[in-house]
Amino acid sequence: MNKIVGHLRSLDAYPKTTEDFSVKTFQGAAITFISLGIMSMLFWIELFDYLSPNVTEELFVDTSRNPNIQINLDIIVPTISCDFLSLDAMDSSGEQHLQIDHNIYKRRLDLDGKPIEEPKREDITIPTKKPNEAENSTECGSCYGAALDPKRCCNTCEDVREAYRERRWAFPDNPENISQCKDEHFNEKLNTAFSQGCQIYGSLVVNRVSGSFHIAPGRSFSVNHVHVHDVQPFSSTSFNTSHRIRHITFGTNIDSKSHNPLKNTVAIAAQGATMFQYHIKLVPTMYVKLDGSVITSSQYSVTKHQKVVSIISGESGMPGAFFQYELSPLMVKRTERRKSFGHFATNVCAIIGGVFTVAGLIDSMLYNSVKFVQKIEIGKAQ
């Protein structure tokens, strides 16, 4: 039994020395403290990396069946009142969404960008009358000769405007002379047209196809499937469409450079009425979290262009901010996974063993160097 124990002791890879033969030095203590500090720092870095999920990325053809896409936006137009700004959207399928505001809020701002009043969620969609509604109405407002149908009734200011549009007539500069328009306080709106700013923010849901949306001055409407903006009594060149984009994202709002490259973009119209165009290429992105939840968003790249629109410049168009987006047929899927504990334990052992070994080599070099210098001083160096 004693022989077996003796053989086992001979296999000890960590032989010990007695304290009588150990030499402790000041530089050895300093190296020990430095080594412990380095080990602790590297350990916490490795622990943080272990607790952070490992993200794998896949690229495949987008076969998702979600029929809609959500657009989140927050845009400030500092020199045009909210009364003269419209947000419209349309897609490649031909569907138009005029004056989208059921999920959009408008906030009036002064010229310094400070809010004047609380944001308003406006709903200015004009309901379509039923065919027999005019017959059952107790009163019939005048259309002032603009109605194509002599029996047509114009009981609201918008009815009168629509009749004028159908006739291709210019609407009166002072609509308060029209009885249906007295409650609109149009003259007050004219006085604040260029002395206020407007913040338009919120979200809108559109078809999951390529399309566009824009913020432009004037009331929007469609004539023979042609999108038109009525800016009366001003001309389109009177509007300075400089703006600041606080954010524009698609899908779940994720604040990152790839999901929001237009964040805090400032566009200045230095030469009058300017049409700003943003061509956006969307890449649908899916995030699968550790808990199994799925976040659907979109990364995108953008190309900017602007031009001055006026008769003098010879450029046609409408001043405003126009955003055209296209969907990529590919999807990016990012999946979070936990890192293995074995990998973490291996790295920790490598840190401790590596730092301990290097520190031992440095201490040995310093100790032998000091001893060699001392031998030279007493003349015993060979």
Side-chain angles (χ1 to χ4, degrees):
M1 189 66 182
N2 292 334
K3 290 182 179 181
I4 295 175
V5 174
H7 284 299
L8 291 176
R9 287 178 179 176
S10 65
L11 298 176
D12 186 3
Y14 307 98
K16 287 78 178 174
T17 58
T18 61
E19 293 186 1
D20 295 336
F21 294 96
S22 61
V23 179
K24 297 182 179 180
T25 61
F26 175 78
Q27 66 265 22
I31 292 174
T32 300
F33 280 108
I34 294 174
S35 301
L36 289 175
I38 294 174
M39 288 181 189
S40 300
M41 180 184 67
L42 294 178
F43 171 79
W44 286 111
I45 293 175
E46 187 64 30
L47 179 62
F48 178 78
D49 184 66
Y50 168 70
L51 296 177
S52 301
N54 186 27
V55 180
T56 59
E57 190 170 285
E58 303 173 69
L59 186 65
F60 54 88
V61 176
D62 183 10
T63 57
S64 59
R65 297 184 178 181
N66 188 354
N68 299 320
I69 184 172
Q70 178 176 303
I71 304 175
N72 311 296
L73 58 91
D74 188 347
I75 301 175
I76 295 176
V77 183
T79 57
I80 303 178
S81 172
C82 290
D83 296 321
F84 288 89
L85 284 176
S86 296
L87 170 64
D88 306 320
M90 57 199 70
D91 56 49
S92 59
S93 66
E95 183 175 350
Q96 295 190 15
H97 312 270
L98 300 181
Q99 295 181 219
I100 294 176
D101 53 8
H102 53 285
N103 288 324
I104 298 297
Y105 292 82
K106 294 181 179 179
R107 176 186 282 137
R108 296 179 183 272
L109 308 174
D110 60 21
L111 294 180
D112 294 327
K114 298 179 180 178
I116 297 176
E117 61 183 15
E118 292 298 317
K120 293 183 178 180
R121 181 177 180 271
E122 300 177 351
D123 186 6
I124 53 178
T125 302
I126 305 301
T128 303
K129 284 189 175 183
K130 297 180 180 179
N132 60 350
E133 186 175 343
E135 299 176 2
N136 298 333
S137 178
T138 56
E139 60 180 64
C140 183
S142 172
C143 294
Y144 301 91
L148 297 175
D149 183 2
K151 297 182 180 180
R152 179 174 177 176
C153 299
C154 296
N155 295 328
T156 65
C157 186
E158 185 59 31
D159 292 339
V160 180
R161 289 179 184 273
E162 186 63 29
Y164 270 75
R165 289 175 192 143
E166 293 176 359
R167 282 280 192 179
R168 304 287 181 90
W169 290 358
F171 200 68
D173 292 340
N174 188 7
E176 291 194 358
N177 293 330
I178 299 174
S179 59
Q180 293 94 324
C181 299
K182 288 182 179 180
D183 293 336
E184 282 195 342
H185 305 290
F186 193 74
N187 288 334
E188 295 180 10
K189 295 179 180 179
L190 289 180
N191 294 332
T192 61
F194 305 117
S195 62
Q196 291 183 2
C198 186
Q199 179 185 6
I200 301 177
Y201 68 96
S203 62
L204 53 117
V205 178
V206 296
N207 295 332
R208 194 181 179 84
V209 293
S210 300
S212 65
F213 62 95
H214 60 262
I215 294 176
R219 186 184 295 269
S220 60
F221 58 96
S222 181
V223 177
N224 297 328
H225 304 288
V226 177
H227 189 72
V228 182
H229 279 255
D230 181 8
V231 296
Q232 292 184 20
F234 303 103
S235 65
S236 60
T237 57
S238 301
F239 294 92
N240 183 342
T241 53
S242 299
H243 57 276
R244 178 164 67 93
I245 302 174
R246 300 184 67 181
H247 74 256
I248 289 181
T249 58
F250 296 81
T252 302
N253 195 351
I254 298 177
D255 189 12
S256 71
K257 189 64 177 178
S258 60
H259 290 81
N260 192 11
L262 285 173
K263 181 178 180 181
N264 295 328
T265 297
V266 177
I268 304 297
Q271 302 179 17
T274 304
M275 182 178 186
F276 298 92
Q277 295 175 305
Y278 301 88
H279 301 277
I280 296 172
K281 187 70 173 181
L282 293 175
V283 180
T285 306
M286 179 188 300
Y287 293 89
V288 181
K289 310 295 285 184
L290 285 175
D291 56 3
S293 61
V294 178
I295 298 176
T296 303
S297 184
S298 292
Q299 304 176 72
Y300 68 91
S301 61
V302 60
T303 303
K304 308 172 191 176
H305 176 69
Q306 68 182 68
K307 64 178 181 179
V308 178
V309 290
S310 66
I311 299 177
I312 298 176
S313 65
E315 294 284 354
S316 61
M318 182 73 190
F322 294 78
F323 303 85
Q324 298 176 345
Y325 55 90
E326 296 180 7
L327 285 168
S328 170
L330 300 179
M331 171 175 279
V332 176
K333 181 180 180 181
R334 292 181 173 176
T335 306
E336 292 184 350
R337 293 186 174 90
R338 293 191 181 277
K339 296 179 180 177
S340 66
F341 180 78
H343 186 269
F344 168 71
T346 301
N347 288 348
V348 170
C349 292
I351 289 172
I352 296 174
V355 173
F356 182 80
T357 302
V358 173
L361 292 174
I362 294 174
D363 178 62
S364 178
M365 291 174 58
L366 290 177
Y367 178 75
N368 291 327
S369 298
V370 171
K371 296 296 291 182
F372 182 73
V373 171
Q374 291 176 350
K375 288 181 178 181
I376 292 176
E377 290 177 352
I378 61 178
K380 289 187 178 181
Q382 294 180 354

